[in-house]
PDB file of all heavy atoms in Angstrom:
ATOM      1  N   PRO A 286      -1.244 -26.216   8.183  1.00 94.00           N
ATOM      2  CA  PRO A 286      -0.583 -25.760   9.413  1.00 94.00           C
ATOM      3  C   PRO A 286      -0.544 -24.243   9.486  1.00 94.00           C
ATOM      4  O   PRO A 286      -0.719 -23.550   8.466  1.00 94.00           O
ATOM      5  CB  PRO A 286       0.836 -26.338   9.279  1.00 94.00           C
ATOM      6  CG  PRO A 286       1.046 -26.505   7.816  1.00 94.00           C
ATOM      7  CD  PRO A 286      -0.296 -26.817   7.237  1.00 94.00           C
ATOM      8  N   ALA A 287      -0.326 -23.728  10.666  1.00 94.00           N
ATOM      9  CA  ALA A 287      -0.211 -22.273  10.838  1.00 94.00           C
ATOM     10  C   ALA A 287       0.944 -21.756   9.988  1.00 94.00           C
ATOM     11  O   ALA A 287       1.916 -22.470   9.748  1.00 94.00           O
ATOM     12  CB  ALA A 287       0.034 -21.948  12.308  1.00 94.00           C
ATOM     13  N   PRO A 288       0.839 -20.518   9.515  1.00 94.00           N
ATOM     14  CA  PRO A 288       1.951 -19.955   8.733  1.00 94.00           C
ATOM     15  C   PRO A 288       3.221 -19.909   9.566  1.00 94.00           C
ATOM     16  O   PRO A 288       3.168 -19.779  10.789  1.00 94.00           O
ATOM     17  CB  PRO A 288       1.463 -18.546   8.375  1.00 94.00           C
ATOM     18  CG  PRO A 288       0.380 -18.250   9.356  1.00 94.00           C
ATOM     19  CD  PRO A 288      -0.258 -19.556   9.684  1.00 94.00           C
ATOM     20  N   MET A 289       4.362 -20.037   8.907  1.00 95.00           N
ATOM     21  CA  MET A 289       5.637 -20.048   9.617  1.00 95.00           C
ATOM     22  C   MET A 289       5.893 -18.704  10.285  1.00 95.00           C
ATOM     23  O   MET A 289       5.288 -17.683   9.946  1.00 95.00           O
ATOM     24  CB  MET A 289       6.777 -20.383   8.654  1.00 95.00           C
ATOM     25  CG  MET A 289       6.668 -21.762   8.019  1.00 95.00           C
ATOM     26  SD  MET A 289       6.546 -23.103   9.242  1.00 95.00           S
ATOM     27  CE  MET A 289       8.118 -22.922  10.060  1.00 95.00           C
ATOM     28  N   LEU A 290       6.812 -18.698  11.224  1.00 96.00           N
ATOM     29  CA  LEU A 290       7.191 -17.473  11.920  1.00 96.00           C
ATOM     30  C   LEU A 290       7.731 -16.443  10.929  1.00 96.00           C
ATOM     31  O   LEU A 290       8.108 -16.782   9.811  1.00 96.00           O
ATOM     32  CB  LEU A 290       8.254 -17.797  12.971  1.00 96.00           C
ATOM     33  CG  LEU A 290       7.830 -18.809  14.052  1.00 96.00           C
ATOM     34  CD1 LEU A 290       9.043 -19.343  14.789  1.00 96.00           C
ATOM     35  CD2 LEU A 290       6.849 -18.163  15.030  1.00 96.00           C
ATOM     36  N   TYR A 291       7.786 -15.213  11.356  1.00 96.00           N
ATOM     37  CA  TYR A 291       8.211 -14.141  10.452  1.00 96.00           C
ATOM     38  C   TYR A 291       9.728 -14.069  10.292  1.00 96.00           C
ATOM     39  O   TYR A 291      10.481 -14.167  11.273  1.00 96.00           O
ATOM     40  CB  TYR A 291       7.743 -12.783  10.975  1.00 96.00           C
ATOM     41  CG  TYR A 291       6.328 -12.425  10.598  1.00 96.00           C
ATOM     42  CD1 TYR A 291       5.377 -12.141  11.570  1.00 96.00           C
ATOM     43  CD2 TYR A 291       5.953 -12.346   9.262  1.00 96.00           C
ATOM     44  CE1 TYR A 291       4.079 -11.784  11.224  1.00 96.00           C
ATOM     45  CE2 TYR A 291       4.654 -12.002   8.909  1.00 96.00           C
ATOM     46  CZ  TYR A 291       3.729 -11.726   9.890  1.00 96.00           C
ATOM     47  OH  TYR A 291       2.443 -11.381   9.540  1.00 96.00           O
ATOM     48  N   ASP A 292      10.170 -13.864   9.040  1.00 95.00           N
ATOM     49  CA  ASP A 292      11.478 -13.287   8.794  1.00 95.00           C
ATOM     50  C   ASP A 292      11.215 -11.844   8.366  1.00 95.00           C
ATOM     51  O   ASP A 292      10.064 -11.408   8.299  1.00 95.00           O
ATOM     52  CB  ASP A 292      12.275 -14.074   7.745  1.00 95.00           C
ATOM     53  CG  ASP A 292      11.633 -14.049   6.353  1.00 95.00           C
ATOM     54  OD1 ASP A 292      10.576 -13.395   6.174  1.00 95.00           O
ATOM     55  OD2 ASP A 292      12.173 -14.695   5.445  1.00 95.00           O
ATOM     56  N   LEU A 293      12.272 -11.077   8.094  1.00 94.00           N
ATOM     57  CA  LEU A 293      12.069  -9.658   7.815  1.00 94.00           C
ATOM     58  C   LEU A 293      11.261  -9.423   6.545  1.00 94.00           C
ATOM     59  O   LEU A 293      10.337  -8.608   6.528  1.00 94.00           O
ATOM     60  CB  LEU A 293      13.422  -8.943   7.715  1.00 94.00           C
ATOM     61  CG  LEU A 293      13.343  -7.452   7.382  1.00 94.00           C
ATOM     62  CD1 LEU A 293      12.519  -6.699   8.410  1.00 94.00           C
ATOM     63  CD2 LEU A 293      14.737  -6.851   7.264  1.00 94.00           C
ATOM     64  N   THR A 294      11.597 -10.135   5.469  1.00 93.00           N
ATOM     65  CA  THR A 294      10.912  -9.895   4.197  1.00 93.00           C
ATOM     66  C   THR A 294       9.424 -10.198   4.289  1.00 93.00           C
ATOM     67  O   THR A 294       8.588  -9.430   3.810  1.00 93.00           O
ATOM     68  CB  THR A 294      11.553 -10.738   3.076  1.00 93.00           C
ATOM     69  OG1 THR A 294      12.939 -10.394   2.972  1.00 93.00           O
ATOM     70  CG2 THR A 294      10.874 -10.487   1.745  1.00 93.00           C
ATOM     71  N   GLU A 295       9.075 -11.315   4.930  1.00 94.00           N
ATOM     72  CA  GLU A 295       7.662 -11.677   5.083  1.00 94.00           C
ATOM     73  C   GLU A 295       6.925 -10.643   5.929  1.00 94.00           C
ATOM     74  O   GLU A 295       5.781 -10.272   5.645  1.00 94.00           O
ATOM     75  CB  GLU A 295       7.570 -13.062   5.734  1.00 94.00           C
ATOM     76  CG  GLU A 295       6.153 -13.550   5.998  1.00 94.00           C
ATOM     77  CD  GLU A 295       5.437 -13.991   4.731  1.00 94.00           C
ATOM     78  OE1 GLU A 295       6.047 -13.959   3.649  1.00 94.00           O
ATOM     79  OE2 GLU A 295       4.270 -14.361   4.826  1.00 94.00           O
ATOM     80  N   LEU A 296       7.584 -10.150   6.968  1.00 96.00           N
ATOM     81  CA  LEU A 296       6.973  -9.128   7.821  1.00 96.00           C
ATOM     82  C   LEU A 296       6.765  -7.830   7.036  1.00 96.00           C
ATOM     83  O   LEU A 296       5.713  -7.180   7.153  1.00 96.00           O
ATOM     84  CB  LEU A 296       7.868  -8.869   9.037  1.00 96.00           C
ATOM     85  CG  LEU A 296       7.364  -7.821  10.042  1.00 96.00           C
ATOM     86  CD1 LEU A 296       6.020  -8.222  10.619  1.00 96.00           C
ATOM     87  CD2 LEU A 296       8.379  -7.614  11.150  1.00 96.00           C
ATOM     88  N   GLN A 297       7.744  -7.441   6.236  1.00 96.00           N
ATOM     89  CA  GLN A 297       7.606  -6.233   5.422  1.00 96.00           C
ATOM     90  C   GLN A 297       6.467  -6.372   4.412  1.00 96.00           C
ATOM     91  O   GLN A 297       5.731  -5.422   4.157  1.00 96.00           O
ATOM     92  CB  GLN A 297       8.923  -5.934   4.700  1.00 96.00           C
ATOM     93  CG  GLN A 297      10.025  -5.436   5.633  1.00 96.00           C
ATOM     94  CD  GLN A 297      11.371  -5.376   4.953  1.00 96.00           C
ATOM     95  OE1 GLN A 297      11.731  -6.260   4.171  1.00 96.00           O
ATOM     96  NE2 GLN A 297      12.137  -4.345   5.249  1.00 96.00           N
ATOM     97  N   ARG A 298       6.325  -7.571   3.855  1.00 95.00           N
ATOM     98  CA  ARG A 298       5.232  -7.803   2.903  1.00 95.00           C
ATOM     99  C   ARG A 298       3.884  -7.615   3.579  1.00 95.00           C
ATOM    100  O   ARG A 298       3.005  -6.919   3.064  1.00 95.00           O
ATOM    101  CB  ARG A 298       5.324  -9.229   2.346  1.00 95.00           C
ATOM    102  CG  ARG A 298       6.217  -9.384   1.154  1.00 95.00           C
ATOM    103  CD  ARG A 298       5.887 -10.653   0.399  1.00 95.00           C
ATOM    104  NE  ARG A 298       6.140 -11.856   1.163  1.00 95.00           N
ATOM    105  CZ  ARG A 298       7.232 -12.614   1.033  1.00 95.00           C
ATOM    106  NH1 ARG A 298       8.161 -12.285   0.177  1.00 95.00           N
ATOM    107  NH2 ARG A 298       7.390 -13.698   1.747  1.00 95.00           N
ATOM    108  N   ASP A 299       3.697  -8.264   4.734  1.00 95.00           N
ATOM    109  CA  ASP A 299       2.402  -8.185   5.419  1.00 95.00           C
ATOM    110  C   ASP A 299       2.106  -6.769   5.907  1.00 95.00           C
ATOM    111  O   ASP A 299       0.965  -6.311   5.867  1.00 95.00           O
ATOM    112  CB  ASP A 299       2.363  -9.169   6.590  1.00 95.00           C
ATOM    113  CG  ASP A 299       2.019 -10.580   6.141  1.00 95.00           C
ATOM    114  OD1 ASP A 299       1.889 -10.792   4.924  1.00 95.00           O
ATOM    115  OD2 ASP A 299       1.884 -11.480   6.998  1.00 95.00           O
ATOM    116  N   ALA A 300       3.129  -6.063   6.382  1.00 95.00           N
ATOM    117  CA  ALA A 300       2.930  -4.694   6.856  1.00 95.00           C
ATOM    118  C   ALA A 300       2.510  -3.785   5.709  1.00 95.00           C
ATOM    119  O   ALA A 300       1.698  -2.875   5.891  1.00 95.00           O
ATOM    120  CB  ALA A 300       4.206  -4.166   7.508  1.00 95.00           C
ATOM    121  N   ASN A 301       3.032  -4.037   4.524  1.00 94.00           N
ATOM    122  CA  ASN A 301       2.642  -3.247   3.361  1.00 94.00           C
ATOM    123  C   ASN A 301       1.211  -3.562   2.944  1.00 94.00           C
ATOM    124  O   ASN A 301       0.426  -2.672   2.628  1.00 94.00           O
ATOM    125  CB  ASN A 301       3.605  -3.497   2.205  1.00 94.00           C
ATOM    126  CG  ASN A 301       3.288  -2.653   0.992  1.00 94.00           C
ATOM    127  OD1 ASN A 301       2.775  -3.137  -0.010  1.00 94.00           O
ATOM    128  ND2 ASN A 301       3.569  -1.360   1.082  1.00 94.00           N
ATOM    129  N   LYS A 302       0.852  -4.859   2.961  1.00 93.00           N
ATOM    130  CA  LYS A 302      -0.498  -5.260   2.570  1.00 93.00           C
ATOM    131  C   LYS A 302      -1.552  -4.765   3.565  1.00 93.00           C
ATOM    132  O   LYS A 302      -2.606  -4.276   3.174  1.00 93.00           O
ATOM    133  CB  LYS A 302      -0.586  -6.789   2.483  1.00 93.00           C
ATOM    134  CG  LYS A 302       0.169  -7.399   1.322  1.00 93.00           C
ATOM    135  CD  LYS A 302       0.098  -8.917   1.419  1.00 93.00           C
ATOM    136  CE  LYS A 302       0.952  -9.590   0.355  1.00 93.00           C
ATOM    137  NZ  LYS A 302       0.975 -11.059   0.510  1.00 93.00           N
ATOM    138  N   LEU A 303      -1.245  -4.912   4.851  1.00 93.00           N
ATOM    139  CA  LEU A 303      -2.245  -4.617   5.876  1.00 93.00           C
ATOM    140  C   LEU A 303      -2.282  -3.151   6.285  1.00 93.00           C
ATOM    141  O   LEU A 303      -3.347  -2.597   6.556  1.00 93.00           O
ATOM    142  CB  LEU A 303      -1.982  -5.480   7.119  1.00 93.00           C
ATOM    143  CG  LEU A 303      -2.075  -6.999   6.919  1.00 93.00           C
ATOM    144  CD1 LEU A 303      -1.581  -7.721   8.160  1.00 93.00           C
ATOM    145  CD2 LEU A 303      -3.512  -7.410   6.611  1.00 93.00           C
TER     146      LEU A 303
END
Side-chain angles (χ1 to χ4, degrees):
M289 298 304 297
L290 300 164
Y291 276 122
D292 64 2
L293 178 58
T294 301
E295 178 74 2
L296 180 60
Q297 289 170 320
R298 274 200 296 261
D299 278 4
N301 183 254
K302 290 175 186 175
L303 298 171

